[in-house]
Amino acid sequence: MPAYDSLLASITTDAVSARDVFDPATGELIGRAPLLTSAEADAAVDRAADAQAAWAALGHEERSAVLHRAADAVEAQSEALAQILSREQGKPLNGPNARFEVGACVSWLRVTADTPTPTQVVVDDGSDYAELHYRPIGVVGAITPWNWPMMIAIWQIAPALRMGNTVVAKPSEYTLLSGLALIAVLNEALPSGVLIAAPGDGGIGAGLVANAAVGKIMFTGSTATGKKIIEASAGNVTRLTLELGGNDAGIVLPDVDPEAIAEQLFWGAFINTGQTCAALKRLYVHDDVYEAVCDALVEVASSMPMGIGLDEANVLGPLQNAMQFDVVDRLVEAARRSGARVLLGGDPKRDQPGHFYPATLIADIDPTNDLVVEEQFGPVLPIVRYTDLDEAITLANGLDVGLGASVWSADRDRARDVAARIEAGTVWINSHGGVHPMIPFGGVKQSGYGLEFGVDGLKAASVPQVING
């Protein structure tokens, strides 16, 4: 049996308690994903708690070795995982999409395994001596979204396991098969009970948050759901890492070469067909280069093929679900009615299967338009004209979110000066959205709190202990 068929068969079910999973590009039924009851999810937490002490006792060296073996397992099944991901999430195999995502899972596992333990001597002055250690929390609940269902799961799972915790992972109900497939492959290398899948609807996630045996919740998703998690976790004083909604701004200074930056701008906005929390979602361009930047973006965007993910030629796919299609369509139509100029796209073919929305560029749009101030989370970029840099920075900082941002300029020092004035967890210079397993990542304002990746990510997946004396 081919690897894809074998892996898919291992995670699908004919049971009554299951959810039909459809390909968002074709509408075809892929399979049925099992769903847990609340009692079964609680039992999963209990099993993870029972396994935690032995896992922690292995020590960092052995846990790191196990993570490398888990990376080997993902690498060996990489094509099957990418095909499941492409069919369920919709993203194409090629470009910065399905194969890229599975490859990132391997890289993050290996780097997390090899990141030095964050133990620190904080005082050693001859009379006092103190060390700061980071110990396991216990059970970590990992709640992942549907846009990058494998990569973001690894961002949560890998540091939690490395630091001696066990994990109960709830994949999004929109991408159950992707989450289940990844966990099944990881468990080829992990001891029993160390990583347990808890597929289900929002009620399963709420149960994880409320369960007193879960010492930490790691969540990536909407700000609205993040606020509910904060409220629900308060009674247990559960530790939280929250990576919430974003509406990232980019500011283009007048000294740029529009053609030189156009492709980077495009992928900053349209990676994963725009379905990325830290994608470029509103672009402020100086009047001196405004039309040239618009023209260069149209040239790049119009050359990017969109279609079924399993077609090797495509680099843009459908929106993952009808709900998100409706959000994007509503915002574009409101912008069109307001008098904004549609440079490209904005006219989906509604008589064809799949949640396809064409790559869309909107110019001459009011900075207060809903398409600018709401997170569209799709293949649409509003381009706002400005003449005064201070005003552009004020507009960039004017929303209640602050995940990422970018500044585009031929003068790197000037760009850094502008970046320092922007309220965002990460500000990229002449790029947007790139992440690295050793560079801390997190949001400000209502984009959440807590850091992921590198040493800071290990600290976030543990509890500090000072040994004094």
Side-chain angles (χ1 to χ4, degrees), residues 1-312:
M1 179 182 293
Y4 166 83
D5 293 333
S6 177
L7 182 56
L8 184 64
S10 73
I11 57 173
T12 52
T13 181
D14 293 327
V16 173
S17 181
R19 180 186 177 110
D20 288 337
V21 177
F22 298 94
D23 186 329
T26 65
E28 178 186 356
L29 178 67
I30 303 169
R32 287 175 57 78
L35 301 175
L36 297 191
T37 65
S38 295
E40 289 170 330
D42 288 341
V45 173
D46 291 342
R47 293 202 313 276
D50 290 343
Q52 192 270 325
W55 174 244
L58 289 179
H60 282 287
E61 185 174 347
E62 180 55 30
R63 289 198 300 273
S64 293
V66 174
L67 287 183
H68 273 294
R69 292 196 290 273
D72 292 341
V74 173
E75 198 163 36
Q77 292 265 42
S78 60
E79 187 61 19
L81 287 168
Q83 289 185 31
I84 289 173
L85 177 60
S86 180
R87 292 198 68 198
E88 180 182 50
Q89 201 282 335
K91 63 184 66 183
L93 291 171
N94 290 323
N97 292 297
R99 288 176 178 138
F100 167 87
E101 181 169 349
V102 176
C105 291
V106 175
S107 297
W108 248 267
L109 282 163
R110 296 203 191 284
V111 172
T112 304
D114 293 337
T115 301
T117 306
T119 301
Q120 179 184 359
V121 176
V122 291
V123 173
D124 184 9
D125 60 7
S127 58
D128 289 302
Y129 182 84
E131 294 176 344
L132 179 59
H133 295 260
Y134 289 86
R135 309 299 190 193
I137 298 167
V139 178
V140 171
I143 303 176
T144 52
W146 50 260
N147 57 332
W148 295 91
M150 293 186 183
M151 184 173 70
I152 291 177
I154 290 295
W155 291 357
Q156 299 174 348
I157 292 166
L161 293 181
R162 167 67 199 283
M163 295 307 290
N165 307 288
T166 51
V167 177
V168 177
K170 183 209 168 293
S172 167
E173 52 266 46
Y174 288 104
T175 48
L176 290 167
L177 297 180
S178 297
L180 290 169
L182 177 66
I183 291 168
V185 172
L186 292 171
N187 275 330
E188 294 174 9
L190 296 171
S192 177
V194 167
L195 173 62
I196 302 174
D201 60 14
I204 296 299
L208 280 178
V209 174
N211 194 315
V214 176
K216 182 178 180 78
I217 292 291
M218 302 180 76
F219 170 76
T220 297
S222 71
T223 297
T225 302
K227 290 179 178 180
K228 293 178 182 178
I229 289 173
I230 293 169
E231 293 173 358
S233 66
N236 295 327
V237 196
T238 307
R239 288 165 173 80
L240 301 174
T241 294
L242 303 175
E243 196 255 88
L244 307 179
N247 192 344
D248 287 14
I251 298 178
V252 178
L253 303 187
D255 61 0
V256 299
D257 177 346
E259 292 184 357
I261 66 171
E263 188 164 349
Q264 285 272 38
L265 281 171
F266 173 83
W267 283 118
F270 289 88
I271 186 172
N272 196 30
T273 314
Q275 300 166 110
T276 297
C277 296
L280 174 58
K281 298 188 176 78
R282 48 196 173 111
L283 185 64
Y284 301 90
V285 180
H286 193 275
D287 182 64
D288 288 354
V289 291
Y290 187 84
E291 294 298 340
V293 168
C294 288
D295 290 345
L297 276 170
V298 168
E299 184 174 355
V300 171
S302 60
S303 70
M304 297 293 178
M306 173 182 284
I308 295 171
L310 296 182
D311 183 333
E312 298 278 355

Side-chain angles (χ1 to χ4, degrees), residues 350-385:
R350 304 175 192 276
D351 59 345
Q352 296 182 4
H355 307 310
F356 287 101
Y357 200 96
T360 300
L361 297 167
I362 308 286
D364 297 334
I365 187 168
D366 189 284
T368 63
N369 189 278
D370 286 350
L371 180 60
V372 179
V373 299
E374 292 186 30
E375 183 182 22
Q376 70 272 34
F377 217 69
V380 181
L381 181 63
I383 309 169
V384 178
R385 189 191 304 261

